Amino acid sequence: MKRAIFPGSFDPITLGHYDIITRGVTLFDEVIVAIGVNASKKYMFSLEERMAFIRETFKDEPKIKVVSYKGLTVDFCKEIGVDFILRGLRNPADFEFEKAIAHTNRDLAPIETVFLLTAAKTSYIASSIVRDVIRNNGDYTKLVPKSVVVKQ
Ligand code: ADP
């Protein structure tokens, strides 16, 4: 069975992530959305909220799972027996950043990173922009799946 993890912060999940995940399941038997926990990072949404948004978004899709992990992504891949990392590419800056991480991961473990180019209509979306829109009371609903609801 071909399984991939899609690692990230998902603070919160956006329509850009949604695009990569739904296209990822056409390539893999299972896509595991893996929320990396970094104790020194400040998040807008708690881990529980971020997991709940993703679970709700994909509740009718048995090939998509949601987990959280600590530590190196490649170590987590080994722990759960996954051979592929799925990542999205929006622009040249993403490419440069992702290239360095993918090469480093290949040095650390025999795990392939598979990149999907983002859909043109969601390529401008980033969680950081969504958070900014939320903080300033803008209409964030155009940028995220319906499951993402901000408590007032
Ligand atoms: P992090 O910043 O912790 O790496 P993100 O949640 O921002 O995590 O991103 C996780 C993955 O989703 C990365 O591969 C990133 O390139 C991808 N991604 C983020 N935004 C989009 C988007 N709008 N379209 C496609 N992929 C995206």
Side-chain angles (χ1 to χ4, degrees), residues 14-28:
T14 69
L15 291 179
H17 297 133
Y18 179 88
D19 168 63
I20 299 295
I21 297 165
T22 51
R23 287 162 58 209
V25 283
T26 67
L27 302 174
F28 297 101

Side-chain angles (χ1 to χ4, degrees), residues 6-10 16-17 20 87-88 90 94 98 118 122 125:
F6 184 50
S9 309
F10 306 102
H17 297 133
I20 299 295
R87 297 290 283 178
R90 285 168 289 196
D94 269 1
E98 294 290 342
T118 63
T122 54
I125 301 176

